[in-house]
Amino acid sequence: MAIEFFNDGTHRCICFNDLAGEGEVQANQFLIVHGAKGMLLDPGGTKLFSRMIVELAMFMPPQRLEYILLSHQDPDVGAGLNGYLLITDATICFPSIWLRFIPAFCAKSLAADRVLSVPDEGGRLDLQGAEIMLLPAHFLHSSGNLQVYDPISKTLFSGDLGASLLPPEDPYPTVSDFDSHVQYMEGFHLRYMPSSRVCREWAAMVRNLDIERIAPQHGAMFEGREMVQQFIEWVAGLQCGADRLAEAGIYRVPE
Ligand SMILES: [Fe+2]
Ligand SMILES: [Fe+2]
């Protein structure tokens, strides 16, 4: 069931967290609605498309989507793009270094003149008068990766950073105990996040933002300032990716 986690009458944020079918990776799709327009974040793959449209229509007509953002090039992020291009006039926001992959996602003719190439330094969008920030989050985990900060709801949509693989019998929507939640994030972050240096730089950047919650693309959200703080500090201290592979001496020709 969709969770509306912010609503001030004009501005709403909604999480769809249970649309993945059996055997598919659980993923959260996020919708930001401001006035009559909307922005959809990481809409997901082709199998999810029809379910997503039905759920989305409960909050706004899909034709009123102004932007669709793909945080990076992974299939769980945007493999269903073709369908959205067919039924909406939304502008597709995509990291500039992955732009040449767009024809692999969808018909080139459909995407013509509808893709906003987001430069490495990020940028700001106008969603019917609401400012939405596109933040650089490169290498976390993709080499060209964006995150989204919504200053009205004070939500940082962090993509795969903060992703958790929760036990299927207990998929809680928000983290209530950070320490016991770490076990569900650790394996993914140690392998998929590239190095402690990038994690520290990200932490230094987001400490400048006023964040009420962090909403990752998989698993539970970090709700409230204390939880946000704990997560940022955890990321800042991560030894991951290349740090660990180098230690393990993995670069050996197999026997
Ligand atoms: Fe990913
Ligand atoms: Fe993902």
Side-chain angles (χ1 to χ4, degrees):
M1 204 176 75
I3 301 168
E4 185 177 69
F5 56 89
F6 184 86
N7 186 346
D8 69 0
T10 310
H11 192 85
R12 296 189 291 167
C13 298
I14 297 113
C15 173
F16 306 92
N17 64 4
D18 61 355
L19 302 183
E22 213 183 316
E24 295 175 82
V25 178
Q26 185 280 336
N28 303 321
Q29 298 78 41
F30 294 104
L31 173 68
I32 304 171
V33 184
H34 191 80
K37 297 287 185 177
M39 177 171 182
L40 186 60
L41 311 182
D42 291 345
T46 42
K47 286 185 186 165
L48 215 125
F49 172 71
S50 51
R51 293 191 289 269
M52 185 67 235
I53 289 298
V54 171
E55 291 283 323
L56 180 69
M58 294 182 189
F59 295 90
M60 64 176 293
Q63 294 76 12
R64 291 213 194 129
L65 280 177
E66 179 124 20
Y67 300 109
I68 295 172
L69 177 124
L70 309 190
S71 61
H72 60 296
Q73 83 292 1
D74 273 353
D76 65 323
V77 164
L81 192 57
N82 229 18
Y84 294 94
L85 285 169
L86 279 168
I87 66 157
T88 76
D89 293 321
T91 297
I92 311 304
C93 310
F94 204 42
S96 59
I97 75 158
W98 294 120
L99 224 55
R100 65 184 187 283
F101 279 41
I102 285 280
F105 281 89
C106 57
K108 205 175 175 182
S109 57
L110 279 176
D113 304 323
R114 292 183 55 186
V115 181
L116 176 71
S117 168
V118 182
D120 271 353
E121 58 270 29
R124 290 165 194 250
L125 295 175
D126 177 5
L127 181 63
Q128 262 221 323
E131 187 176 70
I132 304 289
M133 259 185 234
L134 308 182
L135 299 171
H138 307 308
F139 304 107
L140 295 169
H141 66 97
S142 163
S143 46
N145 205 119
L146 297 169
Q147 293 181 353
V148 173
Y149 175 65
D150 168 18
I152 297 179
S153 67
K154 298 183 174 24
T155 306
L156 175 64
F157 297 94
S158 60
D160 278 327
L161 189 68
S164 51
L165 302 166
L166 300 173
E169 65 282 5
D170 180 27
Y172 48 86
T174 53
V175 179
S176 54
D177 178 342
F178 188 84
D179 292 339
S180 66
H181 181 68
V182 166
Q183 61 185 307
Y184 303 122
M185 298 192 285
E186 209 161 32
F188 174 75
H189 285 75
L190 295 189
R191 183 60 200 259
Y192 282 74
M193 297 302 155
S195 73
S196 53
R197 159 103 194 260
V198 186
C199 290
R200 284 198 308 273
E201 297 222 5
W202 174 86
M205 175 183 73
V206 299
R207 281 191 194 108
N208 297 313
L209 297 170
D210 184 12
I211 305 173
E212 191 65 52
R213 71 185 61 74
I214 293 181
Q217 196 217 349
H218 307 275
M221 291 200 278
F222 302 89
E223 184 71 47
R225 283 165 198 275
E226 200 189 314
M227 208 53 83
V228 165
Q229 190 63 27
Q230 284 193 76
F231 176 68
I232 294 172
E233 294 316 314
W234 181 75
V235 173
L238 260 184
Q239 293 288 316
C240 54
D243 304 326
R244 294 167 51 87
L245 288 179
E247 267 170 39
I250 198 133
Y251 287 103
R252 282 191 293 261
V253 175
E255 305 258 319

